[in-house]
């Protein structure tokens, strides 16, 4: 005979919980204004600005999703370019088979999640540094498979059909809106994921994996959810690359430099926060734009910044902001009242 | 009463060190059991094996009549096995409330208001209500130990394993802790407690075992166990054994093993 434990001896309390913070409520208005301005931008500015922002949104999407992987799930992947490649080639292949490229974008992103399921079972057998190298190997293997297919342009790549019919201005605007949508979806998606029960469990995994297991967190399942979501993000970014560059080139889309960018953006901004990668992307983007003409100096400066941040500012730029109680995306639970 | 937890010939060794040598014992549903023993006796490893953090080399562990050997720590927690860590493992970036809430979600399988109410109840029960919104990383040692207990309780366990939760606390703090543990047990939760602070054990448990080199060298009524000659030699010790224990602890530290240094004796 078993005896079920009875309810705690403490009086039953009804707990009231607030999930926003003062800064987040203040930030709501400005965020909405920024989004509206960004949405109307193609009507007001030239192609130069919007195509630059497309690159920015691609980088932002990659940073946000890599931060979920490494910052929350503890999965330090250097192989997300696998999904950038699949996303880009997905758009190419679908366009070759008569699918509208902008419709191919979400299909290719979802295809990345499907592909990520078997790959996750393979790479999740590895830990730490082995996981990192394993993901890179998977990306290289996928790249090798891709360049063997001459219909996809072999080792040199090929143009994405179906984009020539657009007026260049209209195409630029559509590409911009698609990129804005992908970036916003990955940010909002990450935010809402983190606010759920799974998100709280992930935050626990971020802080202490052993303790998380011991309070019942299904760690592998939580990590797999993030891995699949990050694959969708990288796939969307890859699909955007294919559309914005009008062609797909294997050494670009499967390049390990993407992983370097993601790591840089997240380290600079602050790992394990949602706000960090946004800040990191802005900093990286400004550095890239202003130093692009400086050749080797660009790499030296960007590298030095990364070293300084990694050694002295471990929590990144947002870590400094957080010390002042700033929080744009509150995912926590604040107990305001317990009535008895 | 039926046995809630059954260990059958459980063995485990780390290289040359034997931490469980064909160990067998039962814990009855709703019972209290204290575990004492010298450093390196395998007490914490025992918790690790029961909770699923540490695989056994051989033998079987049954919970509620069912073998849990094939289950990971998360699955065992959901069945009702909860443990605390000797060195607290708080989720440092989360508040006390969030630390406990995640346990109510994942371990007890609750949602929304049911989860937050249970979380707040155990926070109140463990005396952490003032700190509900404090980041766990900013808590002092006493509060961290309480948080360990609160988090384990929020998983709605049937078996609570406490690992040295009284170490380093003052007398009034120990008394408070004992009151909490007794209240938990009064709710029908079985308690297994590893503790060097013997007076805390004596005022809580009905049964005491002494573990040394992976074996049970004594098992029974607490005062009886403590009065046995071998237990005195091994655990309570004379001056010389205290010195030996200190020496082995020092050797363990310098030898690079993971055995944490503990206060040699307290009686």
């Amino acid at each position: 005979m078993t005896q079920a434990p009875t309810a705690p001896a403490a009086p039953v309390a009804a707990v009231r919980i607030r999930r926003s913070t003062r800064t987040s409520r203040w930030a709501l208005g400005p965020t909405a204004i920024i989004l509206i301005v960004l949405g109307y931008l193609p009507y007001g500015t030239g192609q130069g600005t919007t195509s630059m922002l497309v690159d920015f949104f691609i980088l932002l999407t990659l940073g946000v999703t890599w931060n979920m992987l490494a910052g929350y799930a503890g999965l330090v992947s250097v192989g997300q370019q696998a999904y950038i490649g699949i996303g880009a080639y997905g758009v190419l292949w679908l366009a070759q088979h008569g699918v509208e490229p902008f419709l191919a974008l979400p299909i290719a992103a979802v295809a990345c999640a499907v592909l990520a399921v078997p790959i996750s079972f393979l790479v999740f057998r590895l830990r730490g540094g082995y996981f990192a190298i394993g993901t890179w190997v998977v990306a290289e293997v996928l790249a090798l498979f891709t360049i063997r297919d001459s219909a996809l342009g072999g080792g040199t790549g090929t143009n994405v059909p179906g984009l020539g019919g657009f007026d260049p201005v209209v195409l630029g605007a559509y590409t911009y809106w698609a990129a804005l949508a992908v970036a916003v979806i990955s940010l909002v998606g990450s935010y809402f994921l983190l606010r759920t029960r799974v998100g709280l469990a992930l935050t626990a995994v971020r802080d202490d994996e052993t303790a998380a297991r011991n309070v019942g967190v299904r760690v592998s399942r939580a990590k797999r959810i993030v891995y699949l979501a990050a694959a969708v993000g990288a796939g969307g970014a890859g699909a955007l690359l294919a559309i914005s560059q009008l062609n797909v080139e294997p050494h670009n889309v499967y390049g390990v430099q993407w992983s370097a960018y993601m790591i840089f953006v997240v380290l600079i901004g602050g790992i394990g926060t949602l706000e960090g990668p946004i800040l990191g992307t802005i900093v990286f983007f400004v550095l890239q734009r202003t130093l692009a003409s400086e050749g080797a100096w660009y790499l030296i400066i960007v590298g030095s910044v990364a070293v300084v941040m990694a050694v002295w500012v471990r929590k990144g730029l947002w870590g400094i902001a957080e010390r002042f109680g700033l929080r744009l995306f509150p995912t926590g639970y604040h107990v305001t009242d317990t009535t008895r | 009463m039926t046995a809630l937890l059954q260990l059958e010939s459980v063995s485990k060794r780390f290289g040359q060190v034997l931490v469980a040598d064909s160990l067998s014992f039962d814990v009855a549903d709703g019972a209290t059991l204290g575990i004492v023993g010298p450093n390196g006796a395998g007490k914490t490893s025992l918790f690790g094996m029961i909770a699923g953090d540490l695989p056994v080399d051989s033998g079987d562990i049954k919970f509620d009549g069912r073998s849990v050997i094939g289950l990971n720590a998360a699955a065992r927690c959901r069945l009702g096995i909860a443990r605390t860590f000797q060195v607290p493992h708080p989720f440092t970036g989360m508040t006390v409330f969030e630390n406990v809430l995640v346990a109510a979600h994942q371990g007890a399988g609750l949602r929304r208001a049911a989860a937050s109410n249970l979380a707040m109840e155990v926070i109140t029960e463990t005396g952490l209500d003032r700190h509900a919104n404090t980041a766990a990383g900013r808590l002092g040692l006493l509060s961290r130990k309480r948080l360990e207990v609160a988090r384990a309780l929020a998983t709605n366990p049937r078996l609570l394993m406490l690992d040295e939760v009284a170490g380093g606390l003052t007398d009034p703090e120990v008394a408070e802790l004992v009151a909490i543990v007794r209240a938990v047990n009064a709710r029908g939760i079985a308690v297994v407690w590893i503790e060097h602070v013997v007076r805390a054990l004596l005022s809580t448990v009905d049964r005491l075992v002494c573990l040394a080199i992976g074996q049970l060298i004594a098992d029974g009524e607490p005062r009886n166990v403590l009065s046995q000659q071998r237990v005195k030699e091994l655990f309570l010790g004379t001056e010389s054994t205290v010195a030996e224990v200190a020496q082995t602890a020092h050797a363990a530290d310098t030898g690079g093993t993971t055995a944490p240094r503990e206060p040699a004796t307290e009686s």
Side-chain angles (χ1 to χ4, degrees), chain A residues 8 11-17, chain B residues 97 101 110-124:
Chain A
V12 176
V15 191
R16 243 171 257 193
I17 290 152
Chain B
F97 180 73
L101 185 65
L110 297 174
R111 287 167 184 276
R112 298 170 198 282
S116 38
N117 287 344
L118 173 63
M120 207 56 217
E121 275 161 20
V122 297
I123 285 172
T124 311

Side-chain angles (χ1 to χ4, degrees), chain A:
Chain A
M1 208 185 79
T2 56
Q3 173 194 350
T6 52
V12 176
V15 191
R16 243 171 257 193
I17 290 152
R18 196 182 58 224
R19 307 205 54 188
S20 58
T21 65
R22 187 179 296 174
T23 34
S24 76
R25 286 190 295 275
W26 275 100
L28 221 55
T31 307
I33 292 168
I34 289 172
L35 271 182
I36 291 167
V37 169
L38 285 175
Y40 273 99
L41 214 58
Y43 296 107
T45 61
Q47 281 236 272
T49 312
T50 52
S51 80
M52 183 186 80
L53 282 172
V54 169
D55 292 345
F56 176 81
F57 291 139
I58 289 173
L59 204 58
L60 181 64
T61 304
L62 292 174
V64 167
T65 51
W66 193 79
N67 174 54
M68 292 297 293
L69 265 184
Y72 284 90
L75 297 168
V76 181
S77 165
V78 290
Q80 287 307 96
Q81 62 272 20
Y83 302 109
I84 300 176
I86 296 296
Y89 274 100
V91 166
L92 175 63
W93 187 84
L94 286 166
Q96 284 175 342
H97 289 78
V99 180
E100 176 80 32
F102 287 101
L103 181 67
L105 190 158
I107 300 174
V110 171
C112 285
V114 175
L115 185 71
V117 175
I119 293 178
S120 75
F121 280 96
L122 192 70
V123 294
F124 276 25
R125 301 178 69 92
L126 306 169
R127 292 271 168 265
Y130 296 97
F131 174 82
I133 300 299
T135 53
W136 190 357
V137 168
V138 167
E140 290 296 316
V141 168
L142 287 175
L144 289 173
F145 268 113
T146 312
I147 61 177
R148 284 176 62 90
D149 190 342
S150 55
L152 294 174
T156 52
T158 187
N159 292 333
V160 179
L163 292 168
F166 286 97
D167 176 85
V169 177
V170 174
L171 179 62
Y174 280 1
T175 309
Y176 171 81
W177 281 320
L180 178 64
V182 168
V184 169
I185 288 171
S186 53
L187 256 178
V188 172
S190 304
Y191 174 53
F192 281 102
L193 175 65
L194 284 179
R195 277 174 71 100
T196 62
R197 294 182 344 140
V198 174
L200 188 66
L202 269 173
T203 314
V205 172
R206 172 195 74 182
D207 285 352
D208 194 317
E209 197 173 318
T210 308
R213 277 181 215 284
N214 275 282
V215 294
V217 177
R218 294 186 184 103
V219 174
S220 294
R221 199 187 68 148
K223 287 185 172 186
R224 188 159 286 116
I225 290 172
V226 174
Y227 188 75
L228 299 192
V232 173
L240 284 172
L241 267 180
I243 292 171
S244 71
Q245 299 182 342
L246 308 175
N247 68 36
V248 180
E249 201 262 298
H251 300 291
N252 175 25
V253 293
Y254 282 114
V256 74
Q257 84 274 3
W258 291 110
S259 281
Y261 295 161
M262 293 179 221
I263 295 170
F264 184 86
V265 158
V266 172
L267 279 189
I268 294 271
I271 193 163
T273 64
L274 266 180
E275 297 87 345
I278 304 176
L279 205 55
T281 307
I282 294 171
V283 170
F284 179 66
F285 211 68
V286 168
L287 280 177
Q288 208 182 29
R289 293 280 144 175
T290 52
L291 300 171
S293 55
E294 304 292 329
W297 277 107
Y298 158 64
L299 291 173
I300 291 168
I301 292 173
V302 167
S304 310
V305 170
V307 169
V308 168
M309 297 299 292
V311 174
W312 285 290
V313 196
R314 296 297 293 271
K315 290 188 167 177
L317 292 175
W318 191 257
I320 299 169
E322 259 186 350
R323 271 185 229 159
F324 301 101
L326 283 179
R327 214 70 214 271
L328 291 186
F329 299 101
T331 54
Y333 298 74
H334 190 89
V335 181
T336 54
D337 186 25
T338 58
T339 44
R340 299 261 151 82

